[in-house]
Amino acid sequence: MKKTFSVLACIMALFLCVSGASAANWPAKNITVLVPLAAGGNTDGLARGLIVPALEKAFGVKALVKNVPGGALTLGAAEVANSKPDGYTLMVAPLGPVVLQTQLRTLPYGKDAFAPIYFIANSPSFLIATKDVPSSFDAMIADAKANPGKYVYGSTGPGTVPHINLIALCKQYGVEMKHVPDRSGAEVMKSMASGTTHFFADAGMYIPRYDLQGLVIFSDERHPDFPNIPSAKEIGSDQRFSVWNALYAPAGTPAEILDKIYDACKDLSKDPEAQKFVSGMGAHFIDMTRAEFTDFVNAEYDKFGGIIKEAGIKLE
């Protein structure tokens, strides 16, 4: 028995030494930053414009973006969840595949399959509409009620924040709309330009960039960049939504590596160029430590779990 214990202790010590050496020498090759969306849109832009340069500057290796769209962001997320936890495969994603999809459907991974590293940016959600939709929220609701099924709303996939946002809004106001999902915000914009989609709930940057109109911002206050768009509180809606993006690694990645990645990114919020870049996307930085971000993910999981349960949403 003592001999067996001694052998196991030696194996464990060897493993810890190898793991420590691996973390100390990391990175020794290029890093893959997977985005579970098609190219284009906020998430892809944040990965390419912020995270990739930060990693390359800090570590002197290439950081290569890999777009894996499909499955409402779950195909790419599953690939990351099943990747070797060695710090060479990371994911930049909105909350959908981690916080929402894991509560909406059966997946080959769960929320705890990821190690939260860095909260990148938060974008309050706006109800964005094409110019042929009534320009006031009340008039739009009245028209939608009078014409069930007339309007179509887009999303970046079933079970994503834009989808849940519109489901909750339609339920609150007794409105019937059709849902036509796309694979990214950029693709939703194409659908809106062609007239096949009328609404989208996402960052305000889409409004001026694609000559659209904003009917409401889903927060308590108006946005300083869009002072004429009323808040949800003003119109009497209880909907409060935002889309945040973050950087993750597969669960089990050594803490030393996670700390290195976090340290490479943590000062982005203090960089004037990075601030300008994020602001141009209708977003803003929120500084969190790794521990604070992990707690935040758990809190968001619980919050959206309540919304999902109340709305009776279940996807297969």
Side-chain angles (χ1 to χ4, degrees):
M1 184 71 178
K2 289 183 178 179
K3 185 176 181 180
T4 301
F5 178 79
S6 178
V7 171
L8 289 174
C10 288
I11 292 173
M12 181 60 70
L14 179 62
F15 171 78
L16 291 173
C17 288
V18 172
S19 177
S22 176
N25 297 329
W26 183 93
K29 61 181 181 179
N30 293 342
I31 301 167
T32 296
V33 179
L34 189 145
V35 175
L37 289 154
N42 273 15
T43 302
D44 186 64
L46 290 169
R48 295 176 188 273
L50 289 182
I51 300 305
V52 164
L55 296 177
E56 292 183 340
K57 179 180 179 181
F59 304 122
V61 298
K62 285 290 185 181
L64 308 172
V65 173
K66 179 181 179 181
N67 295 94
V68 183
L73 287 70
T74 62
L75 291 183
E79 181 174 325
V80 174
N82 292 320
S83 296
K84 188 176 180 180
D86 57 7
Y88 290 107
T89 300
L90 308 176
M91 177 174 74
V92 171
L95 66 160
V98 178
V99 169
L100 297 178
Q101 298 292 351
T102 49
Q103 304 191 74
L104 288 167
R105 62 179 85 205
T106 301
L107 295 170
Y109 68 87
K111 171 178 67 69
D112 295 331
F114 306 96
I117 302 175
Y118 176 68
F119 186 104
I120 304 173
N122 183 67
S123 304
S125 290
F126 289 76
L127 180 60
I128 302 167
T130 53
K131 291 289 183 68
D132 55 341
V133 170
S135 59
S136 80
F137 181 82
D138 289 342
M140 180 277 292
I141 291 294
D143 189 40
K145 282 185 175 180
N147 300 281
K150 173 183 177 180
Y151 292 117
V152 175
Y153 68 88
S155 75
T156 47
T160 57
V161 174
H163 183 208
I164 301 298
N165 196 157
L166 266 298
I167 285 178
L169 188 73
C170 288
K171 182 173 182 179
Q172 179 181 357
Y173 288 93
V175 170
E176 181 183 331
M177 295 186 190
K178 299 175 185 176
H179 172 223
V180 177
D182 280 300
R183 301 190 304 167
S184 70
E187 291 190 3
V188 177
M189 292 300 101
K190 292 179 183 178
S191 296
M192 296 185 82
S194 69
T196 58
T197 296
H198 305 97
F199 296 102
F200 186 40
D202 210 296
M205 66 97 175
Y206 289 107
I207 297 170
R209 186 174 297 180
Y210 294 94
D211 192 28
L212 299 168
Q213 59 174 332
L215 301 187
V216 64
I217 178 174
F218 294 99
S219 66
D220 288 331
E221 306 292 338
R222 296 193 180 201
H223 194 287
D225 291 340
F226 303 94
N228 296 324
I229 299 177
S231 68
K233 184 176 182 180
E234 289 177 71
I235 65 170
S237 172
D238 59 6
Q239 310 302 321
R240 301 292 184 274
F241 287 95
S242 65
V243 178
W244 49 265
N245 283 277
L247 179 64
Y248 302 87
T253 301
E256 296 92 335
I257 293 177
L258 298 177
D259 285 339
K260 284 185 176 183
I261 298 169
Y262 172 78
D263 287 343
C265 300
K266 68 178 181 180
D267 290 331
L268 282 171
S269 63
K270 300 177 179 65
D271 185 311
E273 288 301 315
Q275 292 173 357
K276 183 178 179 181
F277 183 82
V278 167
S279 178
M281 292 186 165
H284 59 276
F285 285 109
I286 299 179
D287 289 328
M288 297 186 194
T289 64
R290 280 210 302 117
E292 289 170 339
F293 178 38
T294 298
D295 290 341
F296 178 79
V297 170
N298 292 331
E300 287 285 275
Y301 185 87
D302 292 340
K303 182 187 84 171
F304 277 97
I307 294 172
I308 290 167
K309 182 176 181 181
E310 183 179 349
I313 306 166
K314 185 67 178 177
L315 303 174
E316 296 298 335

